[in-house]
Amino acid sequence: MKTLLRNFDILTTSKSSPIKGGSLLVNGGRIVEVLETRSPVPEEGIERVIEGRGRLLIPGFVNSHTHLGMTLFRGFAEDLNLEDWLEKWIWPAEENLTPEEVYWGSALAAVESIKAGVTTVADMYFHMDQTAQALEDSGLRALISYGIIAPEMSSGGEEEVKTGLALVDDWDGAAEGRINAALSPHAPYTCGDDVLTELSKAAEEKGVPIHTHLSETRDEVDRSVENFGLSPVARVEKLGLLENEVMAAHCVHVDEKDIEILADYRVLSLHNPTSNAKLASGIAPVAKMSTEGVDVGLATDGAASNNDLGMIKEMKLAAMLSKVSNGDPESLPVEAVYRMAVAEDVDGFGLGKLGKIEEGFKADLIAVDRNSSRWIPEYDPLSNLVYSGKSADVDMVMIDGKVVMEEGKVTTIDEAEVIEKVREIATKYGRIRQSKLSNTT
Ligand SMILES: [Zn+2]
């Protein structure tokens, strides 16, 4: 379908000022032509025209690390460290999850993500067939993976790897190429050496990326050094995992040597500032990693540790934390944090070319309304977007050339039905939470 987006202020890349009153031609899911101000606009063969009315047009946000199904546990266990949060609350509750519940939790996350201007998610969880289905239904672009947890191949590993591979076989390239799959050792601390080696080989054979958690807490690093004599980064390097395309969530506790390894292997480090702050895991040295040549993506992590899936506030927090932790107001400036949020520098990882409004790039676009008081005055739209914008300012979302949200309404799935289903499911987890609370007090 040939679509014309007319009279928008178009931010093509982080390095340029918006084209005032520009237009854009989209066809077959891709950007065909970017038309400068007052250029003649083609009329022939256009099936749909979207009027900009002065809105800002930017590439959609890429939430590079999340667990969509975890919206079911939003607000379930608060103000805990990662270990207590996972081991005492989240993992025991997750044992009760049914595939159908994960579908609805993922659908809720998909609605929330789209409304916040997210067009791509990298998701790792379980009952992933249901998440994949919700993603297909929603119209989102995604890199999905099953989170493998196994101490050894002989104790659960065989089965886990099989499940991970089945997801790749069933979904990689699905939904007209919108859904791709990765392999996910959940983390080096939840997977044995032989499981990590096996996954490394399998990823190479299948030609898919690896998506994992890495060096999230001080404790994880200390235990790794104690048990293996190596940091988690050095350990996965030794096991050959980094020979693949690797996306590593967190990288909070990485030293000079770790950063050198991440840069050498072109690992994409995924920064989750809210989740890391909330669980008191720490602040990833994002500015330092970037200077040393490590590419960084921005992410929300799951809704249970965030607690929302919006990327605008994530940009702001990333910038603020970097400035505070480095004592340097120039650390992680507006353009840098925006580039991370739209994955402007990322090419590959099953996601392809995203993050710029240029010919040949995917037509994953969002329109931002700048009429609310928080956008006035506007000396620099990018700084307003990062520092005063809100998810609610996004009012049109296009993914793969198709409009999936307009005037604040998601067009692909029924938001009211999803909300009703999740409220129903939450009564079960409310009971589980209540009985845990009464047992602990
Ligand atoms: Zn995570």
Side-chain angles (χ1 to χ4, degrees):
M1 169 144 149
K2 220 170 182 182
T3 306
L4 177 71
L5 294 102
R6 182 161 59 193
N7 207 12
F8 282 87
D9 289 351
I10 304 172
L11 190 68
T12 56
T13 74
S14 61
K15 291 173 191 77
S16 51
S17 322
I19 301 171
K20 287 245 168 224
S23 297
L24 197 70
L25 202 57
V26 165
N27 196 11
R30 290 197 182 265
I31 296 164
V32 177
E33 202 178 350
V34 184
L35 298 144
E36 299 287 328
T37 315
R38 283 191 291 277
S39 298
V41 172
E43 302 279 334
E44 213 177 308
I46 303 289
E47 290 160 78
R48 180 164 187 194
V49 177
I50 300 170
E51 295 291 349
R53 303 189 306 274
R55 289 178 291 176
L56 183 69
L57 194 71
I58 63 170
F61 297 118
V62 177
N63 187 354
S64 57
H65 175 75
T66 187
H67 313 283
L68 297 177
M70 290 190 89
T71 50
L72 299 173
F73 301 115
R74 191 197 318 266
F76 185 78
E78 306 292 51
D79 308 322
L80 297 160
N81 67 37
L82 179 74
E83 200 179 333
D84 288 345
W85 178 76
L86 267 181
E87 291 174 13
K88 295 188 180 152
W89 290 86
I90 297 297
W91 283 343
E94 281 177 344
E95 281 173 20
N96 300 282
L97 278 176
T98 67
E100 200 200 342
E101 289 169 355
V102 171
Y103 175 86
W104 291 110
S106 303
L108 184 74
V111 168
E112 184 183 347
S113 300
I114 289 172
K115 291 182 94 170
V118 171
T119 51
T120 298
V121 293
D123 191 72
M124 177 208 301
Y125 207 47
F126 54 97
H127 297 312
M128 282 303 290
D129 286 322
Q130 275 63 35
T131 296
Q133 192 57 57
L135 286 163
E136 182 170 14
D137 296 346
S138 71
L140 273 167
R141 188 181 302 286
L143 181 72
I144 56 167
S145 54
Y146 169 72
I148 290 166
I149 297 181
E152 282 178 64
M153 283 307 286
S154 58
S155 79
E158 298 280 355
E159 204 49 42
E160 285 282 278
V161 173
K162 225 163 102 185
T163 308
L165 283 170
L167 187 78
V168 172
D169 290 340
D170 293 345
W171 288 94
D172 194 38
E176 294 155 352
R178 267 193 301 108
I179 297 181
N180 284 293
L183 283 169
S184 277
H186 165 268
Y189 68 90
T190 49
C191 288
D193 279 5
D194 62 346
V195 179
L196 293 167
T197 314
E198 185 66 26
L199 285 170
S200 178
K201 278 193 292 189
E204 200 189 325
E205 265 169 44
K206 295 275 175 193
V208 296
I210 295 266
H211 179 187
T212 190
H213 295 95
L214 189 62
S215 296
E216 182 171 358
T217 62
R218 182 76 262 159
D219 194 49
E220 174 192 342
V221 177
D222 290 347
R223 281 198 220 174
S224 177
V225 171
E226 208 178 295
N227 296 335
F228 306 100
L230 296 166
S231 74
V233 175
R235 180 171 160 236
V236 293
E237 184 207 14
K238 185 178 157 223
L239 295 169
L241 201 75
L242 304 186
E243 301 291 340
N244 296 282
E245 274 192 323
V246 175
M247 299 167 76
H250 306 306
C251 302
V252 173
H253 298 279
V254 285
D255 62 16
E256 294 278 349
K257 180 77 195 133
D258 291 333
I259 292 175
E260 215 180 291
I261 296 171
L262 296 174
D264 279 354
Y265 287 89
R266 301 210 59 81
V267 171
L268 179 62
S269 163
L270 313 172
H271 184 35
N272 300 260
T274 301
S275 174
N276 295 153
K278 188 171 178 233
L279 299 165
S281 303
I283 302 170
V286 178
K288 186 171 169 51
M289 282 195 275
S290 298
T291 319
E292 307 284 319
V294 181
D295 286 331
V296 181
L298 193 65
T300 63
D301 214 345
S305 64
N306 189 302
N307 295 2
D308 82 59
L309 303 175
M311 291 287 285
I312 294 180
K313 64 114 188 36
E314 217 62 48
M315 286 196 284
K316 181 168 180 175
L317 186 64
M320 298 298 136
L321 291 178
S322 193
K323 291 169 201 313
V324 173
S325 59
N326 292 296
D328 175 8
E330 290 180 22
S331 181
L332 221 59
V334 166
E335 299 76 24
V337 81
Y338 166 81
R339 273 204 301 279
M340 283 162 43
V342 298
E344 189 174 299
D345 304 322
V346 176
D347 188 4
F349 302 94
L351 301 172
K353 287 164 96 177
L354 304 168
K356 284 184 193 168
I357 302 186
E358 285 179 0
E359 209 183 298
F361 274 67
K362 300 228 164 96
D364 291 4
L365 306 160
I366 64 176
V368 180
D369 178 61
R370 303 127 91 194
N371 284 317
S372 73
S373 51
R374 61 180 160 266
W375 278 79
I376 315 295
E378 186 190 83
Y379 301 112
D380 174 6
L382 201 49
S383 106
N384 277 8
L385 178 75
V386 172
Y387 290 149
S388 60
K390 297 269 182 263
S391 291
D393 299 333
V394 177
D395 76 348
M396 190 280 293
V397 177
M398 173 182 274
I399 303 171
D400 219 26
K402 296 186 185 85
V403 173
V404 298
M405 192 269 265
E406 54 190 338
E407 289 169 17
K409 195 173 170 353
V410 176
T411 56
T412 46
I413 39 183
D414 183 346
E415 182 174 0
E417 185 194 8
V418 172
I419 287 174
E420 197 189 309
K421 290 279 186 192
V422 174
R423 279 197 175 130
E424 223 173 273
I425 295 164
T427 57
K428 169 176 148 186
Y429 294 97
R431 279 196 300 274
I432 291 172
R433 180 171 181 270
Q434 212 45 55
S435 76
K436 272 186 87 66
L437 281 174
S438 31
N439 287 342
T440 47
T441 49

PDB file of all heavy atoms in Angstrom, residues 44-58:
ATOM      1  N   GLU A  44      -0.133  10.393  -7.760  1.00  0.00           N
ATOM      2  CA  GLU A  44      -0.487   9.174  -8.496  1.00  0.00           C
ATOM      3  C   GLU A  44      -0.254   7.895  -7.682  1.00  0.00           C
ATOM      4  O   GLU A  44       0.803   7.727  -7.070  1.00  0.00           O
ATOM      5  CB  GLU A  44       0.355   9.103  -9.774  1.00  0.00           C
ATOM      6  CG  GLU A  44      -0.390   8.444 -10.918  1.00  0.00           C
ATOM      7  CD  GLU A  44       0.465   8.473 -12.179  1.00  0.00           C
ATOM      8  OE1 GLU A  44       0.940   9.581 -12.526  1.00  0.00           O
ATOM      9  OE2 GLU A  44       0.652   7.410 -12.754  1.00  0.00           O
ATOM     10  N   GLY A  45      -1.246   7.027  -7.706  1.00  0.00           N
ATOM     11  CA  GLY A  45      -1.116   5.722  -7.063  1.00  0.00           C
ATOM     12  C   GLY A  45      -1.156   5.759  -5.540  1.00  0.00           C
ATOM     13  O   GLY A  45      -0.971   4.736  -4.882  1.00  0.00           O
ATOM     14  N   ILE A  46      -1.368   6.944  -4.960  1.00  0.00           N
ATOM     15  CA  ILE A  46      -1.402   7.034  -3.494  1.00  0.00           C
ATOM     16  C   ILE A  46      -2.734   6.488  -2.986  1.00  0.00           C
ATOM     17  O   ILE A  46      -3.800   6.920  -3.421  1.00  0.00           O
ATOM     18  CB  ILE A  46      -1.256   8.510  -3.036  1.00  0.00           C
ATOM     19  CG1 ILE A  46       0.032   9.139  -3.592  1.00  0.00           C
ATOM     20  CG2 ILE A  46      -1.324   8.629  -1.522  1.00  0.00           C
ATOM     21  CD1 ILE A  46       1.307   8.660  -2.997  1.00  0.00           C
ATOM     22  N   GLU A  47      -2.656   5.522  -2.090  1.00  0.00           N
ATOM     23  CA  GLU A  47      -3.897   4.947  -1.566  1.00  0.00           C
ATOM     24  C   GLU A  47      -4.336   5.592  -0.261  1.00  0.00           C
ATOM     25  O   GLU A  47      -5.492   5.519   0.119  1.00  0.00           O
ATOM     26  CB  GLU A  47      -3.715   3.440  -1.363  1.00  0.00           C
ATOM     27  CG  GLU A  47      -3.608   2.680  -2.679  1.00  0.00           C
ATOM     28  CD  GLU A  47      -2.964   1.325  -2.499  1.00  0.00           C
ATOM     29  OE1 GLU A  47      -3.665   0.407  -2.034  1.00  0.00           O
ATOM     30  OE2 GLU A  47      -1.758   1.194  -2.797  1.00  0.00           O
ATOM     31  N   ARG A  48      -3.376   6.165   0.443  1.00  0.00           N
ATOM     32  CA  ARG A  48      -3.751   6.795   1.706  1.00  0.00           C
ATOM     33  C   ARG A  48      -2.884   8.024   1.961  1.00  0.00           C
ATOM     34  O   ARG A  48      -1.671   7.989   1.701  1.00  0.00           O
ATOM     35  CB  ARG A  48      -3.580   5.792   2.854  1.00  0.00           C
ATOM     36  CG  ARG A  48      -3.958   6.397   4.168  1.00  0.00           C
ATOM     37  CD  ARG A  48      -4.182   5.436   5.281  1.00  0.00           C
ATOM     38  NE  ARG A  48      -4.702   6.207   6.403  1.00  0.00           N
ATOM     39  CZ  ARG A  48      -4.778   5.785   7.635  1.00  0.00           C
ATOM     40  NH1 ARG A  48      -4.420   4.567   7.927  1.00  0.00           N
ATOM     41  NH2 ARG A  48      -5.253   6.558   8.592  1.00  0.00           N
ATOM     42  N   VAL A  49      -3.516   9.079   2.449  1.00  0.00           N
ATOM     43  CA  VAL A  49      -2.759  10.272   2.804  1.00  0.00           C
ATOM     44  C   VAL A  49      -2.933  10.521   4.306  1.00  0.00           C
ATOM     45  O   VAL A  49      -4.054  10.490   4.822  1.00  0.00           O
ATOM     46  CB  VAL A  49      -3.264  11.512   2.014  1.00  0.00           C
ATOM     47  CG1 VAL A  49      -2.503  12.769   2.442  1.00  0.00           C
ATOM     48  CG2 VAL A  49      -3.111  11.288   0.513  1.00  0.00           C
ATOM     49  N   ILE A  50      -1.834  10.714   5.001  1.00  0.00           N
ATOM     50  CA  ILE A  50      -1.904  11.062   6.429  1.00  0.00           C
ATOM     51  C   ILE A  50      -1.394  12.494   6.567  1.00  0.00           C
ATOM     52  O   ILE A  50      -0.256  12.795   6.183  1.00  0.00           O
ATOM     53  CB  ILE A  50      -1.067  10.090   7.281  1.00  0.00           C
ATOM     54  CG1 ILE A  50      -1.583   8.644   7.102  1.00  0.00           C
ATOM     55  CG2 ILE A  50      -1.097  10.486   8.748  1.00  0.00           C
ATOM     56  CD1 ILE A  50      -0.684   7.573   7.704  1.00  0.00           C
ATOM     57  N   GLU A  51      -2.248  13.343   7.095  1.00  0.00           N
ATOM     58  CA  GLU A  51      -1.886  14.756   7.224  1.00  0.00           C
ATOM     59  C   GLU A  51      -1.094  14.985   8.511  1.00  0.00           C
ATOM     60  O   GLU A  51      -1.495  14.530   9.582  1.00  0.00           O
ATOM     61  CB  GLU A  51      -3.159  15.627   7.257  1.00  0.00           C
ATOM     62  CG  GLU A  51      -3.973  15.595   5.967  1.00  0.00           C
ATOM     63  CD  GLU A  51      -3.271  16.291   4.784  1.00  0.00           C
ATOM     64  OE1 GLU A  51      -2.251  16.986   5.009  1.00  0.00           O
ATOM     65  OE2 GLU A  51      -3.760  16.128   3.639  1.00  0.00           O
ATOM     66  N   GLY A  52       0.008  15.700   8.363  1.00  0.00           N
ATOM     67  CA  GLY A  52       0.875  15.928   9.517  1.00  0.00           C
ATOM     68  C   GLY A  52       0.357  16.957  10.497  1.00  0.00           C
ATOM     69  O   GLY A  52       0.570  16.840  11.684  1.00  0.00           O
ATOM     70  N   ARG A  53      -0.314  17.965   9.988  1.00  0.00           N
ATOM     71  CA  ARG A  53      -0.818  19.071  10.816  1.00  0.00           C
ATOM     72  C   ARG A  53       0.271  19.569  11.784  1.00  0.00           C
ATOM     73  O   ARG A  53       0.023  19.800  12.962  1.00  0.00           O
ATOM     74  CB  ARG A  53      -2.062  18.652  11.599  1.00  0.00           C
ATOM     75  CG  ARG A  53      -3.217  18.142  10.727  1.00  0.00           C
ATOM     76  CD  ARG A  53      -4.492  17.943  11.543  1.00  0.00           C
ATOM     77  NE  ARG A  53      -4.306  17.104  12.703  1.00  0.00           N
ATOM     78  CZ  ARG A  53      -4.387  15.777  12.698  1.00  0.00           C
ATOM     79  NH1 ARG A  53      -4.685  15.138  11.579  1.00  0.00           N
ATOM     80  NH2 ARG A  53      -4.193  15.097  13.807  1.00  0.00           N
ATOM     81  N   GLY A  54       1.482  19.655  11.278  1.00  0.00           N
ATOM     82  CA  GLY A  54       2.574  20.208  12.084  1.00  0.00           C
ATOM     83  C   GLY A  54       3.153  19.252  13.115  1.00  0.00           C
ATOM     84  O   GLY A  54       3.994  19.642  13.922  1.00  0.00           O
ATOM     85  N   ARG A  55       2.704  18.003  13.092  1.00  0.00           N
ATOM     86  CA  ARG A  55       3.271  17.064  14.070  1.00  0.00           C
ATOM     87  C   ARG A  55       4.713  16.713  13.704  1.00  0.00           C
ATOM     88  O   ARG A  55       5.131  16.821  12.554  1.00  0.00           O
ATOM     89  CB  ARG A  55       2.423  15.782  14.128  1.00  0.00           C
ATOM     90  CG  ARG A  55       1.066  16.005  14.785  1.00  0.00           C
ATOM     91  CD  ARG A  55       0.221  14.748  14.779  1.00  0.00           C
ATOM     92  NE  ARG A  55      -0.219  14.373  13.445  1.00  0.00           N
ATOM     93  CZ  ARG A  55      -0.911  13.266  13.179  1.00  0.00           C
ATOM     94  NH1 ARG A  55      -1.232  12.435  14.155  1.00  0.00           N
ATOM     95  NH2 ARG A  55      -1.282  12.999  11.950  1.00  0.00           N
ATOM     96  N   LEU A  56       5.438  16.256  14.727  1.00  0.00           N
ATOM     97  CA  LEU A  56       6.827  15.854  14.521  1.00  0.00           C
ATOM     98  C   LEU A  56       6.839  14.373  14.138  1.00  0.00           C
ATOM     99  O   LEU A  56       6.195  13.542  14.800  1.00  0.00           O
ATOM    100  CB  LEU A  56       7.603  16.055  15.834  1.00  0.00           C
ATOM    101  CG  LEU A  56       9.096  15.752  15.823  1.00  0.00           C
ATOM    102  CD1 LEU A  56       9.859  16.771  14.978  1.00  0.00           C
ATOM    103  CD2 LEU A  56       9.636  15.763  17.256  1.00  0.00           C
ATOM    104  N   LEU A  57       7.552  14.036  13.081  1.00  0.00           N
ATOM    105  CA  LEU A  57       7.641  12.637  12.644  1.00  0.00           C
ATOM    106  C   LEU A  57       9.043  12.123  12.937  1.00  0.00           C
ATOM    107  O   LEU A  57      10.030  12.688  12.462  1.00  0.00           O
ATOM    108  CB  LEU A  57       7.330  12.538  11.154  1.00  0.00           C
ATOM    109  CG  LEU A  57       7.055  11.128  10.631  1.00  0.00           C
ATOM    110  CD1 LEU A  57       5.708  10.613  11.132  1.00  0.00           C
ATOM    111  CD2 LEU A  57       7.083  11.089   9.100  1.00  0.00           C
ATOM    112  N   ILE A  58       9.093  11.056  13.733  1.00  0.00           N
ATOM    113  CA  ILE A  58      10.404  10.459  14.062  1.00  0.00           C
ATOM    114  C   ILE A  58      10.306   8.940  13.895  1.00  0.00           C
ATOM    115  O   ILE A  58       9.201   8.396  13.800  1.00  0.00           O
ATOM    116  CB  ILE A  58      10.849  10.804  15.517  1.00  0.00           C
ATOM    117  CG1 ILE A  58       9.862  10.223  16.556  1.00  0.00           C
ATOM    118  CG2 ILE A  58      11.007  12.296  15.714  1.00  0.00           C
ATOM    119  CD1 ILE A  58      10.362  10.318  17.997  1.00  0.00           C
TER     120      ILE A  58
END
